[in-house]
Amino acid sequence: MGDGDVSAIACIRDDHDWRLIVVAAVVCLAGSVATMLLLERARHSAGSQRHLWIAVCAFACGVGVWSTHFIAMLAYDGGIPIAYGVGGTSFSIAVAIAASWVAFSVGLAGTSRHAPAVGGLLLGLGIAAMHVSGMRAIEVQGRVAFDPETSFAAVLLGTLIAGLALHSFQVLRGVRGLAASILLLVAAICVLHFTSMSGVVLIPDLSVAATHVFDPFWLAGGVIAASTTLILMAFGALFVDRHLTDLKGLANASLEGMVILRRGEVIEVNERFATLSGRKPAELVGRQRRELFAEAPERRSSNDLGAGEWASEGELLHADGGYVPVERLCRTIEYKGRQCDVIFVRDLTARKDAERTIEHLAHHDALTDLSNRSSFDRRLRQALAAAVHHDDALAVLCLDLDRFKAVNDIFGHGEGDRILRKVADILRAGAGEADTIARLGGDEFAIVQTGAAQPEAARLLADRILKLFSEEMDTRRDPMAVGVSIGVAICPGDGTTAERLYGNADTALYRAKQTGKGIACFFDAEMDAAVRTRRQIENDLRHAVVRRQLFLEYQPLVDVRDDRIVGYEALLRWRHPDRGLVGPNLFIPIGEESGSIIQIGEWVLEEACSEAVRWHEPLPVWVNVSPVQFLLPNLFDRIESILMRTGLEPRRLELEITEAALMHNRDDVLATLVRLRLLGVRIVMDDFGTGHSSLSNLQTFPFDKLKIDCSFTASLDKDPAAHAIIRAIIALGHSLNLPVVTEGVETERQRQIIVDEGCRQIQGFLTGRPGLAPSVDAASSSSTMPHRVGA
């Protein structure tokens, strides 16, 4: 098109070779496709690989642009012989490649979202520079002139379209982005070339001679051959790279490490293996297998998987000198035409850590990290065996926290856990390095002390622990502080078996808590007998209800004015199969300490109510309620349920409580008593005068009757002070309009004194001993005293 303009001015004819134009268009399209595909590959690379692919892309683009330009130029025949200078032609292709490299480097820099557009503008300017330098390489007998306006328009349009091509490449992804950027790049090259050519004028001048030129025929053939070859090579590079990248990416995507060895030498590794070894892949290639693993596995062993395969566990040598536990699977394959061993490596660090954690938790308490019960038992047996074998002594200390249950209930389990961890720290600080400290469960701890002179060492250790507790846990100032009680047993004196020694230490602990808490107590034989007896009774008492060993006797309450029975008190009895009748003064305190009194008390209440329903006369039944039962938040509901099941009218039930029940949770106890009164149940204060703050309790709590303790009655006719106390209690009851009952009356003298003081109801052996239930007593048909006295 541009050459046609020249011939119109100065030449004889105008002609063009459409075949070369088609070739130029195909070369332009192929070059653009190769350029954008290479640019896409460069975008997904990093570091030196990105720079390499940018260089390859610039080379392909420069060659494609330059080939398009010169093939199109060779297609024009203006009637004047045209040749191309060697220096100018070489310079023009260098300009095309250099400009492309600068443009793509800027476009993929990523420093700004406008970087691709700027790179495209630079590419357009580079194409224009190549075009101008290529036109300057023309050797013709004449001069080449340019139309400024046309040339400016060509450069402006080509540059803008090239900028839009790279911008589309960045914004649009996938096939659409590649297609749009390729078409825009083709348009940029064609618009810039053909528009600028339309402004070129060839002015014949026979005085100009061309030297050092390329022959147009050979140049055309060479350009077509070279451009086609280079573009095909670019496509081939992309294909090979993509194929190799996919295979290597597949290997690198594996979560397992992989190393390929030929004759024991590393020839290939994946990224996972390099990461596990702490080295770069290039550093591993060429190393021997013994440099990778801590020990070379035997190819034939019990874990062979078949011919050419084996599996084992081992350790991978890390770059920092450490070892990584791994599982290895090896098989023989053909790789690159030779027999090679490929070893797959799986990291076992997490599994080994989990196994160590499980192993640790199996022998340690999760909260305090002290030894647990199983570990303590094993350590105690080992220490005992060693002590007996070497004729040495050892000590076992059992520890129990004082006040911990109350603190845990009041302040919550989170605070309780914090206290347990603090206690563990105190024990670690007090015990020696050779001592074994264990948390056996709840607030129970134990220590095995070995390698020291006994019992002096155990005494020093106990004193040290008590001192640390007094310093760290000040119960006088800190409401969340706890104390500790310690029981100690010494081998061989207190036992040579684990069960015997631990049991004796626990017995000593029990004595320490009974004595006053916050002390250390050493085991002795007398303690053993007493504690064993008490614990046997405690254990038997837990089953007494189920085994039907408990029964009730009923003692009458008498109105002294007419000797009429006004009610019966249910008294609990225990017939032990081996011990016979066990006194309530012995087993009731044990039941209250162990908690079994709750079950027993409920049985007593239901049994007494069931009995009272069968009486001929609707007399009230008196039942004692333990202070421990008032700790139950649903005590009222249980009593109401028993009354409904048995059918006893609430007004016939009189509950006897001691002032001990009023000492704790006064508000809850008061609420329960008020609800019972509203239900119709009557409340009797038992053992009045033996507790604390009696007058305050009378004012606060809704009592219906006072009961004078038998200890005052027993001293009535001997001790003037006891007589004065009884007189005062009876007077107090009259002033408060509360009936008074005196228990423990055994003589006529006691009865006469009480009657003279104004008490109307008495209870004791004088008026009737505890006996069978009135419903089965033959004398119960009459409610007068002559029948009961003789019972």
Side-chain angles (χ1 to χ4, degrees):
M1 184 167 57
D3 289 353
D5 295 335
V6 173
S7 64
I9 297 173
C11 299
I12 302 171
R13 60 186 176 89
D14 179 16
D15 195 8
H16 47 268
D17 190 341
W18 285 103
R19 292 174 300 177
L20 288 178
I21 292 177
V22 172
V23 171
V26 172
V27 169
C28 179
L29 179 60
S32 298
V33 171
T35 298
M36 288 305 169
L37 289 176
L38 291 168
L39 198 62
E40 176 73 12
R41 181 63 180 87
R43 178 164 62 182
H44 295 292
S45 301
S48 59
Q49 284 191 351
R50 169 174 283 197
H51 296 306
L52 175 62
W53 283 108
I54 288 176
V56 175
C57 180
F59 187 77
C61 182
V63 170
V65 171
W66 179 81
S67 300
T68 301
H69 168 76
F70 276 94
I71 294 173
M73 284 293 296
L74 292 172
Y76 289 93
D77 183 6
I80 302 176
I82 298 176
Y84 297 91
V86 176
T89 302
S90 302
F91 178 74
S92 64
I93 191 172
V95 169
I97 295 173
S100 300
W101 181 81
V102 173
F104 296 144
S105 297
V106 172
L108 295 183
T111 55
S112 170
R113 61 190 181 92
H114 302 297
V118 174
L121 296 176
L122 292 175
L123 179 62
L125 293 175
I127 296 173
M130 185 280 306
H131 180 78
V132 172
S133 60
M135 293 300 296
R136 292 295 183 186
I138 294 177
E139 296 289 343
V140 63
Q141 286 186 320
R143 290 180 292 106
V144 180
F146 298 91
D147 179 25
E149 294 180 359
T150 305
S151 298
F152 177 77
V155 172
L156 180 62
L157 288 174
T159 301
L160 291 177
I161 297 174
L164 184 60
L166 261 65
H167 179 72
S168 301
F169 174 78
Q170 181 67 16
V171 173
L172 302 176
R173 298 301 174 94
V175 178
R176 288 197 310 164
L178 281 175
S181 56
I182 289 171
L183 293 178
L184 288 171
L185 182 60
V186 171
I189 297 172
C190 293
V191 167
L192 195 149
H193 173 69
F194 290 110
T195 302
S196 63
M197 285 297 296
S198 65
V200 174
V201 179
L202 295 179
I203 303 173
D205 187 352
L206 299 178
S207 62
V208 178
T211 58
H212 304 289
V213 297
F214 285 118
D215 182 86
F217 176 78
W218 293 105
L219 180 61
V223 167
I224 293 173
S227 60
T228 302
T229 301
L230 290 174
I231 292 173
L232 289 177
M233 288 177 63
F235 280 114
L238 278 173
F239 175 79
V240 173
D241 175 74
R242 177 56 61 190
H243 181 69
L244 295 178
T245 300
D246 289 344
L247 292 178
K248 194 166 187 178
L250 181 62
N252 289 332
S254 174
L255 297 178
E256 298 181 352
M258 184 182 70
V259 56
I260 300 177
L261 304 102
R262 182 184 299 141
R263 295 180 180 177
E265 181 179 325
V266 177
I267 61 174
E268 194 74 54
V269 298
N270 67 348
E271 292 180 357
R272 178 59 177 162
F273 187 89
T275 301
L276 288 175
S277 64
R279 297 180 175 90
K280 296 180 180 179
E283 298 176 1
L284 294 170
V285 175
R287 291 178 177 264
Q288 297 296 316
R289 183 166 58 187
R290 62 176 177 273
E291 300 179 63
L292 303 180
F293 300 100
E295 57 180 6
E298 296 293 335
R299 291 187 59 86
R300 293 293 176 186
S301 61
S302 59
N303 55 358
D304 280 355
L305 302 179
E309 296 187 15
W310 52 262
S312 68
E313 290 188 7
E315 291 179 326
L316 179 66
L317 295 174
H318 196 271
D320 61 6
Y323 298 92
V324 180
V326 294
E327 180 183 17
R328 297 169 294 188
L329 172 64
C330 179
R331 62 178 51 183
T332 301
I333 63 171
E334 184 176 339
Y335 182 71
K336 294 184 178 180
R338 297 188 181 183
Q339 291 291 320
C340 296
D341 291 332
V342 55
I343 300 178
F344 299 94
V345 176
R346 178 178 298 169
D347 186 10
L348 298 182
T349 302
R351 194 181 84 180
K352 295 295 184 181
D353 290 343
E355 290 175 355
R356 284 191 291 269
T357 300
I358 294 172
E359 177 71 16
H360 183 81
L361 291 176
H363 300 93
H364 290 79
D365 175 56
L367 179 63
T368 62
D369 203 37
L370 298 175
S371 298
N372 58 16
R373 182 178 289 274
S374 64
S375 179
F376 171 80
D377 291 342
R378 184 177 62 257
R379 173 57 182 156
L380 177 57
R381 295 179 190 279
Q382 292 173 349
L384 276 172
V388 171
H389 180 73
H390 296 95
D391 196 21
D392 289 335
L394 65 84
V396 174
L397 288 78
C398 288
L399 303 93
D400 189 82
L401 302 183
D402 305 327
R403 296 183 66 249
F404 177 76
K405 184 178 185 303
V407 171
N408 199 47
D409 292 342
I410 294 172
F411 297 100
H413 295 290
E415 192 62 32
D417 291 346
R418 184 192 67 81
I419 291 173
L420 291 174
R421 286 191 291 267
K422 186 175 181 179
V423 168
D425 293 337
I426 293 175
L427 296 181
R428 289 190 186 96
E433 293 183 0
D435 300 340
T436 300
I437 312 170
R439 180 189 175 209
L440 305 183
D443 59 344
E444 300 178 25
F445 296 83
I447 300 176
V448 178
Q449 186 183 44
T450 58
Q454 299 297 350
E456 294 80 7
R459 184 172 288 107
L460 290 174
L461 175 58
D463 292 343
R464 191 158 58 246
I465 292 174
L466 291 173
K467 181 180 178 181
L468 288 172
F469 263 86
S470 65
E471 294 173 353
E472 300 288 337
M473 297 277 193
D474 191 346
T475 56
R476 293 170 298 180
R477 291 180 297 181
D478 185 1
M480 290 182 287
V482 298
V484 65
S485 298
I486 305 174
V488 185
I490 307 297
C491 171
D494 299 332
T496 55
T497 65
E499 293 78 9
R500 181 74 175 173
L501 197 60
Y502 176 78
N504 289 340
D506 192 46
T507 299
L509 171 63
Y510 185 84
R511 173 64 64 86
K513 295 185 76 69
Q514 290 293 113
T515 303
K517 301 181 180 181
I519 63 173
C521 187
F522 281 72
F523 175 80
D524 61 55
E526 293 182 2
M527 176 193 305
D528 181 38
V531 171
R532 287 181 183 275
T533 300
R534 186 182 181 91
R535 288 193 170 180
Q536 186 63 48
I537 292 176
E538 178 182 318
N539 182 68
D540 293 342
L541 187 59
R542 293 182 186 276
H543 308 286
V545 173
V546 177
R547 294 171 180 172
R548 300 181 180 275
Q549 297 172 358
L550 299 178
F551 65 95
L552 296 180
E553 289 186 334
Y554 296 87
Q555 188 174 29
L557 285 82
V558 176
D559 190 322
V560 296
R561 292 173 296 181
D562 54 5
D563 288 337
R564 181 173 55 88
I565 296 176
V566 294
Y568 290 92
E569 180 180 0
L571 301 175
L572 179 63
R573 299 293 184 258
W574 181 19
R575 183 177 288 107
H576 193 278
D578 299 324
R579 303 178 188 274
L581 283 176
V582 182
N585 292 337
L586 174 61
F587 73 80
I588 287 180
I590 294 177
E592 290 180 333
E593 291 179 8
S594 64
S596 59
I597 196 65
I598 293 177
Q599 178 193 15
I600 294 172
E602 190 166 340
W603 177 85
V604 169
L605 191 61
E606 183 152 3
E607 188 75 11
C609 291
S610 298
E611 167 62 24
V613 169
R614 294 192 291 267
W615 295 346
H616 296 298
E617 296 186 21
L619 298 176
V621 61
W622 296 31
V623 179
N624 289 277
V625 180
S626 169
V628 178
Q629 291 178 266
F630 276 93
L631 299 177
L632 297 173
N634 61 342
L635 178 61
F636 171 82
D637 298 328
R638 293 191 178 194
I639 295 175
E640 183 183 34
S641 176
I642 289 174
L643 290 172
M644 293 180 64
R645 287 200 304 270
T646 59
L648 183 68
E649 298 179 25
R651 64 181 180 82
R652 295 183 57 194
L653 177 62
E654 299 192 12
L655 299 179
E656 296 188 36
I657 67 172
T658 63
E659 291 177 291
L662 314 178
M663 300 303 296
H664 303 287
N665 302 322
R666 291 175 63 88
D667 293 340
D668 295 338
V669 173
L670 176 59
T672 301
L673 294 179
V674 169
R675 294 180 68 189
L676 289 171
R677 281 286 305 276
L678 294 175
L679 183 64
V681 176
R682 307 186 71 184
I683 310 298
V684 179
M685 176 177 278
D686 195 12
D687 301 336
F688 182 77
T690 61
H692 304 280
S693 305
S694 298
L695 297 179
S696 173
N697 290 333
L698 286 177
Q699 182 181 13
T700 304
F701 292 90
F703 292 105
D704 296 290
K705 191 175 293 187
L706 299 181
K707 198 171 186 181
I708 300 175
D709 186 64
C710 60
S711 61
F712 298 118
T713 308
S715 305
L716 181 60
D717 52 355
K718 306 173 187 176
D719 187 359
H723 190 166
I725 291 173
I726 288 179
R727 180 186 298 119
I729 294 175
I730 294 173
L732 178 63
H734 290 166
S735 65
L736 295 176
N737 198 27
L738 292 176
V740 179
V741 179
T742 302
E743 66 178 356
V745 179
E746 298 182 356
T747 65
E748 281 291 342
R749 173 64 178 164
Q750 293 172 346
R751 178 180 182 278
Q752 188 60 47
I753 294 175
I754 291 171
V755 170
D756 293 342
E757 294 296 339
C759 181
R760 297 180 179 179
Q761 295 182 4
I762 63 174
Q763 178 185 2
F765 288 171
L766 179 67
T767 56
R769 292 177 177 273
L772 298 176
S775 63
V776 298
D777 190 346
S780 65
S781 59
S782 175
S783 60
T784 57
M785 273 308 301
H787 298 86
R788 293 296 304 169
V789 171

